[in-house]
Amino acid sequence: KALHKIMWVKALAIAAVAGQAAAFAPAGGLPFGKAPALRAEASTRAASTGVSTVTMMARKPIIAGNWKMNPSGIDEAIKLGKGIAEKAAGQDKAEVLLCVPHVFMSQVIDELKGSNVQVGAQSVYFEDKGAFTGAVSTCMVKSIGCKSVLAGHSERRVIFKNDDTAVNRKVRKILDEGLDCMLCIGESKEEYEGKLAEAICATQLSKDLAGVTKEQMARVQIAYEPVWAIGTGLVCAADDAQKIHEYIRKWLAVLYDDDVAQSVRVLYGGSVSPESVDELMSKPDIDGCLVGGASLDAEKFGRIINYK
C-alpha cells in the first residue's frame, strides 16, 4: 500500500507539472510525435524536403564558460582570458563565449579584441535604470561591448530567488536590447528522481519564453543544466542528456515550429570536463557546452573547446 501511495503521488506530480507546461503551449498537447531533424541530419533533410537551408543547416556549436564569482582579481581574470583565447585560436568548429563577472567585463573585452572569444554577462536586471541597488542593466553591459547574457541560471533561480516571471522579463529585456540570450533550464535532484525532468523543462521553456517571437528565437540558445549535476560530482550520462535535448527540441516545435526547433542551439551544462566533452559532443542534439569550474583552468577549458 505504501509503494502504491508513492507511485500515485508521483503520477499526480507529473500530471500537475505537465499541465502547467501545456497551459503555456499552443493547442495540440505534449509533443510525442516524430522528433525534429538532428544536428547531423540537418543539411540532408534540407535538400530532400525543400525546407530553407538557412533553417536546416548544421548548427554551429557553442562552448561557453561561466566563471561565476571567480577569479579574485582583475589581473587573474585577464591572464585567464588570454590563456583561453590562445587555446581557442586556430579552431573554427565552435563559437567560444566567456561569461565573466560584471566588474571584469570591460577590461577582459578589451584584452580579447581580435581573438575568436566573445565575452558575455552572467545576469542582468530587467529595468534600464533607477533605484535598484546592486543591479546591472542590459544597456550598461551592451555599452561596453557585451553581446550575450545568461538568463535563468540555476544559481540565480535558487540562491537569488529568480522565479519564472523574473526570468521571462530578463529574457525579453535582453532580446529587446538586441543581445543574444542563453536561457538556462533544468530540474533539481528531487525532480529528477521523481521522473519530472521533461515536465520541468517544458514548463520552464513555456514560461520563460512567453512573449518571445519566432524571429527573436534566432538570438536565443538553450542551456540544459540538470541542477543535481552542477558541482556535485554526480554525472548525467551523455545518452540521458541527449534524450532531454531531443525532448527540448520537440517542445520548441510545439511552442513555435519545426524551423525554430531545428535551428536553436541547445547546450549541455553540468560538471562538463575534458573527460566527458567528447562523448557529449558526439550526440546529435547537443550543440555545445556551458562549462563552470573547468572554464577557470585555461588548459582544461582549451581541451573542451578543442573537443574531438
Side-chain angles (χ1 to χ4, degrees):
K1 289 183 178 180
L3 178 61
H4 178 77
K5 183 177 181 180
I6 291 172
M7 293 177 66
W8 177 246
V9 170
K10 284 185 177 180
L12 287 175
I14 292 171
V17 179
Q20 290 179 16
F24 286 85
L30 289 165
F32 295 118
K34 185 177 179 182
L38 305 180
R39 174 157 52 100
E41 301 173 344
S43 296
T44 302
R45 276 199 62 193
S48 63
T49 63
V51 178
S52 168
T53 55
V54 173
T55 300
M56 298 287 290
M57 68 190 301
R59 301 177 296 272
K60 187 169 185 176
I62 302 176
I63 303 296
N66 177 16
W67 288 0
K68 306 188 179 183
M69 200 171 72
N70 297 290
S72 57
I74 185 59
D75 291 341
E76 190 179 351
I78 290 173
K79 180 180 178 181
L80 178 58
K82 286 183 173 180
I84 290 171
E86 289 176 5
K87 299 296 182 182
Q91 71 81 33
D92 189 44
K93 63 183 176 182
E95 296 177 16
V96 181
L97 174 69
L98 293 179
C99 295
V100 311
H102 292 127
V103 293
F104 300 149
M105 286 182 63
S106 182
Q107 285 179 267
V108 173
I109 287 172
D110 288 342
E111 293 289 342
L112 298 188
K113 280 180 180 176
S115 73
N116 61 349
V117 177
Q118 295 290 323
V119 176
Q122 296 175 11
S123 184
V124 291
Y125 195 52
F126 44 72
E127 299 287 353
D128 284 327
K129 59 183 179 179
F132 307 106
T133 301
V136 174
S137 68
T138 53
C139 54
M140 288 176 179
V141 298
K142 183 179 181 180
S143 73
I144 60 172
C146 174
K147 305 294 185 184
S148 181
V149 185
L150 298 180
H153 190 279
S154 62
E155 289 153 7
R156 301 300 306 182
R157 293 178 187 265
V158 176
I159 299 172
F160 297 98
K161 310 303 180 185
N162 285 187
D163 60 15
D164 285 309
T165 298
V167 174
N168 174 247
R169 292 185 70 179
K170 290 184 178 186
V171 169
R172 294 173 66 177
K173 185 62 178 175
I174 291 165
L175 295 172
D176 287 346
E177 195 69 50
L179 300 169
D180 286 0
C181 178
M182 186 175 292
L183 171 62
C184 304
I185 63 171
E187 78 283 357
S188 68
K189 188 172 186 290
E190 292 76 16
E191 291 162 344
Y192 170 76
E193 292 174 345
K195 310 298 182 185
L196 293 170
E198 290 183 351
I200 294 298
C201 287
T203 300
Q204 290 178 338
L205 285 170
S206 298
K207 290 184 174 182
D208 300 347
L209 294 174
V212 175
T213 67
K214 175 180 176 177
E215 291 71 27
Q216 288 178 317
M217 286 300 294
R219 290 186 284 111
V220 173
Q221 302 92 43
I222 306 297
Y224 167 61
E225 295 189 302
V227 179
W228 51 271
I230 300 176
T232 62
L234 299 174
V235 178
C236 178
D239 286 340
D240 293 336
Q242 162 60 25
K243 289 176 183 176
I244 296 296
H245 279 232
E246 184 176 357
Y247 179 84
I248 289 170
R249 225 171 279 290
K250 289 181 180 180
W251 192 251
L252 289 173
V254 170
L255 292 178
Y256 295 96
D257 57 27
D258 199 49
D259 280 352
V260 169
Q262 292 166 27
S263 61
V264 169
R265 289 173 288 185
V266 184
L267 286 68
Y268 171 78
S271 299
V272 178
S273 68
E275 293 73 31
S276 64
V277 67
D278 294 341
E279 186 178 7
L280 286 166
M281 291 303 297
S282 72
K283 302 303 178 182
D285 274 305
I286 297 180
D287 303 320
C289 296
L290 178 57
V291 185
S295 69
L296 299 174
D297 184 313
E299 197 68 34
K300 289 181 179 179
F301 195 54
R303 172 62 180 84
I304 293 171
I305 293 169
N306 293 283
Y307 64 88
K308 302 183 186 302

